[in-house]
Amino acid sequence: MKTLKISSSKKDILSIADLSTNEIDMILMLAEKLKREQKRGKSRPFLRGKTLGMIFQKPSTRTRVSFEVGMYQLGGDAIYLGANDIQLSRGETIEDTAKTLSLYLDCIVARVYKHKDVQTLARYASVPVINGLSDSFHPCQILADLMTIQENKKKLKGLQLAWLGDGDNVCNDLMLGCAKTGISMTVACPKGYEPLGEIVELAKAVGKKTDVNIAITHDSTSAVRDADIIATDTFISIGKEGERTIREATFLPNYQVNKDIMKLAKGDAIFMHCLPAKRGMEVTADVIDGKWSVVWQEAENRLHTQKALLCLLMKAAL
Ligand code: CP
Ligand code: NVA
């Protein structure tokens, strides 16, 4: 196996913007290899003696469990640090937390409310920091999504992805992931729920070099026509619960992925969702539980892509 090389001595992954196309390719290649090996019951201890710290200010099923299990499968350890388990909850600064944790840990994953908090953590930590979801980005999800697309479509370049719903943290990083790997992406969202303007501009600029089109529209029907992939996410991200009534009224019915929407896409289109999902809201049960859906493969690939990422960041001798 080709050794993964990373230019700087410490690399943080706070967004897909932190990964080059080449690095994404390498992570996907390694993830496929680790997945094949794991299916054969062969997991090699590339991270023996290494410990991952896991700071979670928000709940999580997939991110928490896949990181923890991934470390164990690679022969390392993981320590879950819930919001109230560390002195951060009593006012210790992020700077001091980062410096202290760096004395014991080899890598940190953090799920935070404010993106600037994970940026501060990364700035003061001397070990690599991975964003496990902030209000702005979700890079680990996008690595799993790209792997899932590649497995289903046997390629990335030249595909067309339509995103329906909230231009949220997952959408921001997915635009960057698509732009970097040659997938054109159209986001259909209500007015006022567009992805971050600076990320749209960045994705468009990257897309110019990779020959992809990144577009924002408010018209779901035109966005999904002839798409290879339709993706969505909850209308109510963690922390937005207070906006439930207004959001549901704004997003429904125009931005729901249902059978009629899927039928406008290509005949072999797939449906993706990072989960957790609300059936009857952003997606109907007959789509997420139907023939188009690859959501369980997508959830599984969180494990494989994160194992690859951990090996890369902790410089495993592969
Ligand atoms: N997709 C995802 O990140 O799921 P969790 O919130 O369960 O970690
Ligand atoms: N946009 C969602 C993603 C959950 C994985 C949230 O932030 O809650």
Side-chain angles (χ1 to χ4, degrees), residues 279-298:
R279 288 168 177 77
M281 289 291 160
E282 71 273 11
V283 60
T284 52
D286 51 13
V287 170
I288 194 167
D289 301 319
K291 63 175 182 179
W292 300 279
S293 179
V294 295
V295 298
W296 306 115
Q297 188 180 348
E298 194 181 351

Side-chain angles (χ1 to χ4, degrees), residues 196-216:
L196 291 172
E198 66 196 276
I199 302 304
V200 175
E201 290 317 308
L202 178 58
K204 282 184 174 174
V206 174
K208 275 208 179 104
K209 292 184 206 143
T210 52
D211 199 24
V212 314
N213 188 38
I214 302 291
I216 313 295

Side-chain angles (χ1 to χ4, degrees), residues 58-59 62-63 111 132-135 138 141 163 166 168-171 233-234 236-241 273-276 302:
K58 301 174 176 176
R62 283 142 287 267
T63 308
R111 173 169 282 204
L133 179 83
S134 66
D135 55 356
H138 198 3
Q141 182 64 51
W163 175 274
D166 195 7
D168 63 6
N169 39 15
V170 176
C171 180
D233 187 9
T234 178
I236 301 150
S237 285
I238 307 169
K240 305 279 185 199
E241 291 80 3
H273 191 310
C274 63
L275 305 176
R302 294 293 304 275

Side-chain angles (χ1 to χ4, degrees), residues 3-6 8-13 27 30 45-54 67-68 70-72 74-79 104-109 126-130 306-318:
T3 305
L4 295 176
K5 288 228 166 58
I6 206 95
S8 62
S9 58
K10 154 176 131 91
K11 187 169 175 80
D12 305 306
I13 307 298
I27 290 168
L30 178 57
F46 291 122
L47 295 179
R48 183 178 285 145
K50 305 281 187 191
T51 306
L52 173 73
M54 303 169 55
F67 264 111
E68 205 163 324
M71 278 304 288
Y72 297 150
L74 290 165
D77 284 297
I79 303 177
Y104 315 127
L105 299 169
D106 301 286
C107 186
I108 299 171
V109 57
S126 59
V127 298
V129 171
I130 302 170
Q306 285 160 201
K307 282 168 73 177
L309 182 63
L310 290 165
C311 286
L312 168 69
L313 296 182
M314 285 187 261
K315 302 185 188 328
L318 298 165

Side-chain angles (χ1 to χ4, degrees), residues 160-164 184-188 213-217 219 222-223:
Q160 175 72 43
L161 185 149
W163 175 274
L164 254 61
S184 288
M185 177 166 167
T186 302
V187 177
N213 188 38
I214 302 291
I216 313 295
T217 175
D219 176 19
S222 66

